[in-house]
Amino acid sequence: MVYFKSKLNIRNLLKRLIIAIDGPAASGKSTTAKLVAERLGYLHVDTGAMYRAFTLKVLQQGIDIQNTASIARLVPQTTVRLFHNSGKSSVLLDGVDVSEDIRRPKVTKAVSAVSSIAEVRALMVREQQAMGRKGGIVLEGRDIGTVVFPKADVKIFMIAEAHERARRRSKELAERGTNVSLDELEKEIVDRDKKDTSRTLSPLRQAKDAIVLDTTTLSVEEQVEFIVAKVMEKMR
Ligand code: DC
């Protein structure tokens, strides 16, 4: 009997779950998702980075971000892949590492418009579903629990007050040598949330079965503990 029980536990521990983390801009998804994935030995997929990479290509080609038809024509000529190597993940745009370039403010300003185009979303969703098919993955974005993996094993919806999100983004940018005022950052974050929640296709919204995690006053460690505990509950 004991043998049977322990075998069951091991099988549960080996379950490769799909963890979906959604939420608005700068709510802490990336840092937390990366650490959760490390704790579980899972793959971390930053889907925002993929939309940013495609947006970078649009800008590099000098295409107007309102020109939906030209942007859609770029889709079949583009590959966006995530590459994981010794704990570091990079974004490859047509085989070139663009992990740094995609964080530039001009990409941030354009990404909501580009990511609202159907053809762009279809390309990204296909890639993301292929990466997650076997489980053992933490995906973060805006539509993971609603569209990409509506049957994900654990769904978290991360939120935080806009002012706190601006403060975090400012710190992150300063570490990269870019200084943007807090007011400007807060405005940009609120503006992007508005675009991401009001678009017709796969808007940012909380899945019915998602667990809300308000990170405003939580440390990164607390956020990670919260999610890992939910995953462990699910495995049991
Ligand atoms: O997570 P992020 O801030 O790097 O995402 C950049 C943009 O990409 C975000 O403003 C909207 C878009 N995005 C999306 O439409 N769907 C996702 N799953 C992830 C990001």
Side-chain angles (χ1 to χ4, degrees):
M1 187 61 191
V2 172
Y3 169 70
F4 180 62
K5 230 172 131 182
S6 69
K7 254 198 115 172
L8 254 186
N9 285 343
I10 288 169
R11 202 170 64 202
N12 277 347
L13 283 173
L14 292 177
K15 255 191 209 161
R16 309 280 293 162
L17 303 187
I18 296 178
I19 320 295
I21 304 182
D22 289 302
S27 52
K29 300 185 300 293
S30 289
T31 313
T32 301
K34 183 171 182 285
L35 291 170
V36 169
E38 269 171 31
R39 281 273 294 272
L40 299 169
Y42 281 13
L43 198 65
H44 166 222
V45 172
D46 174 357
T47 62
M50 299 172 72
Y51 287 95
R52 285 171 178 272
F54 190 89
T55 304
L56 178 67
K57 179 156 176 175
V58 171
L59 298 175
Q60 282 170 345
Q61 305 239 336
I63 300 172
D64 181 344
I65 57 164
Q66 303 305 329
N67 190 342
T68 306
S70 294
I71 295 175
R73 272 198 295 275
L74 264 192
V75 169
Q77 317 160 21
T78 307
T79 61
V80 174
R81 297 264 146 76
L82 293 182
F83 177 71
H84 297 89
N85 191 15
S86 15
K88 191 177 176 286
S89 97
S90 319
V91 194
L92 303 185
L93 171 64
D94 299 327
V96 177
D97 188 344
V98 293
S99 310
E100 286 294 319
D101 293 349
I102 59 165
R103 302 292 160 193
R104 296 223 179 107
K106 62 176 184 166
V107 175
T108 305
K109 280 201 181 79
V111 67
S112 287
V114 174
S115 61
S116 66
I117 299 168
E119 290 82 351
V120 177
R121 299 208 71 81
L123 172 73
M124 301 303 166
V125 170
R126 209 164 49 232
E127 279 290 324
Q128 293 154 13
Q129 288 174 336
M131 280 188 278
R133 217 172 357 244
K134 290 189 184 141
I137 194 165
V138 181
L139 299 109
E140 40 122 346
R142 304 293 189 285
D143 61 342
I144 310 301
T146 50
V147 175
V148 184
F149 285 107
K151 290 191 178 149
D153 300 286
V154 177
K155 297 183 189 178
I156 306 287
F157 195 75
M158 277 176 83
I159 54 168
E161 278 168 20
H163 188 72
E164 172 59 17
R165 291 190 277 143
R167 197 191 62 76
R168 290 179 193 163
R169 187 47 54 94
S170 156
K171 191 166 166 263
E172 204 180 286
L173 285 171
E175 280 162 10
R176 287 203 183 94
T178 310
N179 288 304
V180 186
S181 82
L182 267 183
D183 280 354
E184 202 178 317
L185 279 175
E186 189 170 335
K187 195 181 156 300
E188 179 264 309
I189 282 173
V190 171
D191 188 50
R192 197 144 60 93
D193 287 350
K194 209 180 286 166
K195 288 181 185 146
D196 294 343
T197 48
S198 63
R199 69 179 178 221
T200 327
L201 269 176
S202 318
L204 164 67
R205 64 181 165 81
Q206 187 192 328
K208 280 195 191 74
D209 49 348
I211 304 158
V212 177
L213 174 59
D214 186 339
T215 69
T216 308
T217 59
L218 295 184
S219 68
V220 172
E221 291 73 27
E222 287 168 323
Q223 297 168 36
V224 173
E225 285 307 325
F226 179 91
I227 299 174
V228 170
K230 293 291 170 199
V231 174
M232 291 306 162
E233 254 172 48
K234 188 76 191 182
M235 283 186 180
R236 260 180 247 129

